[in-house]
Amino acid sequence: MSNSRLKILKIIALIAFVVIAVELVAILYVKHIPKKDTSYYYDYVRSVDINKDSFVAVGSNNNNTLKYDKGKIAVYNESKEKVLERVYNKGYHSSYYDVATISDGYVTVGSYESTKLDFWLVTDPSLIVKYDFKGNVVFDEDFKIIGDSKYMGVVSDGALYACGQSITDKSSSSGAVLVKYDKDGKEEWIKYYGNKNSIFYDIVV
């Protein structure tokens, strides 16, 4: 074998050895070296109710085992120290859009994906949830006419008034909706507003 061919074979062998060594290092890295957690967690604050001695914030976050957005309520004292935090764990994605402090707790409204079908088609029901001052759920009720629905605001005068929007017929027209509940979460009446244009009633007058 000539010296030139021998040199070429040595170069090829060296390249093959380097490639194999790099592959082995990569395999060992993937299998045995701990990785940093690259997950990203976030909180959305969508509404804050300011009281004499507390601040009540609602929104959503994804810091849970399933990584779904979940409706969240957090209560802070007058020193801005967090004293209560709860996440709505039913269904799939959910979010709270407004909150009202009442005589015996907090009422939040928003929407959530209650079933796998809601999850895939994004046809969320509206949601109203009442918590007592210890963070226990007193009641939770949902509302949907046909398709996607969302409560955007809530006020109370003893009864509870939730407003938002809901698809109102099979042609997918959307309108504003105002629903009255009693203090125990029982629906008392519904009023519809608007037409085929999508209308959100963000504030209850």
Side-chain angles (χ1 to χ4, degrees):
M1 183 179 292
S2 65
N3 288 336
S4 61
R5 288 186 176 180
L6 185 60
K7 288 180 179 179
I8 292 172
L9 288 175
K10 287 181 178 179
I11 292 171
I12 292 173
L14 179 61
I15 293 172
F17 174 79
V18 171
V19 170
I20 292 171
V22 170
E23 290 292 332
L24 286 173
V25 170
I27 291 170
L28 289 171
Y29 178 80
V30 169
K31 287 189 174 181
H32 301 292
I33 297 179
K35 308 297 186 304
K36 292 182 179 179
D37 184 2
T38 56
S39 300
Y40 292 93
Y41 300 108
Y42 53 82
D43 280 89
Y44 288 119
V45 176
R46 301 186 184 274
S47 181
V48 177
D49 189 24
I50 301 174
N51 303 300
K52 183 179 179 180
D53 56 358
S54 68
F55 304 86
V56 187
V58 294
S60 63
N61 85 347
N62 72 335
N63 192 3
N64 56 77
T65 56
L66 297 177
K67 303 298 186 292
Y68 293 123
D69 289 348
K70 291 293 188 180
K72 176 179 172 181
I73 179 172
V75 182
Y76 300 81
N77 62 22
E78 54 189 352
S79 301
K80 299 180 182 178
E81 299 168 327
K82 184 161 58 179
V83 295
L84 178 68
E85 181 179 274
R86 293 292 185 270
V87 172
Y88 190 73
N89 284 319
K90 291 186 179 179
Y92 298 89
H93 294 292
S94 60
S95 184
Y96 292 147
Y97 290 91
D98 198 19
V99 60
T101 304
I102 58 177
S103 61
D104 56 350
Y106 314 103
V107 177
T108 64
V109 293
S111 64
Y112 82 120
E113 294 161 349
S114 60
T115 66
K116 200 70 173 180
L117 186 62
D118 288 333
F119 175 74
W120 289 112
L121 299 181
V122 195
T123 53
D124 308 4
S126 300
L127 177 67
I128 181 169
V129 184
K130 179 181 177 180
Y131 295 89
D132 64 22
F133 287 124
K134 294 182 179 180
N136 302 306
V137 174
V138 178
F139 67 75
D140 56 340
E141 300 289 342
D142 58 33
F143 172 84
K144 180 167 68 174
I145 302 171
I146 293 178
D148 191 39
S149 300
K150 184 184 299 181
Y151 282 150
M152 301 292 292
V154 63
V155 295
S156 175
D157 63 358
L160 306 170
Y161 302 85
C163 66
Q165 64 90 30
S166 184
I167 292 176
T168 56
D169 61 39
K170 293 181 180 179
S171 65
S172 297
S173 63
S174 181
V177 62
L178 176 64
V179 183
K180 180 182 179 181
Y181 297 89
D182 68 16
K183 62 182 180 60
D184 298 315
K186 182 180 178 182
E187 185 182 294
E188 294 192 344
W189 51 252
I190 306 170
K191 294 187 181 295
Y192 304 102
Y193 306 88
N195 48 38
K196 291 186 177 181
N197 298 316
S198 182
I199 298 175
F200 291 84
Y201 271 34
D202 292 349
I203 299 175
V204 181
V205 179

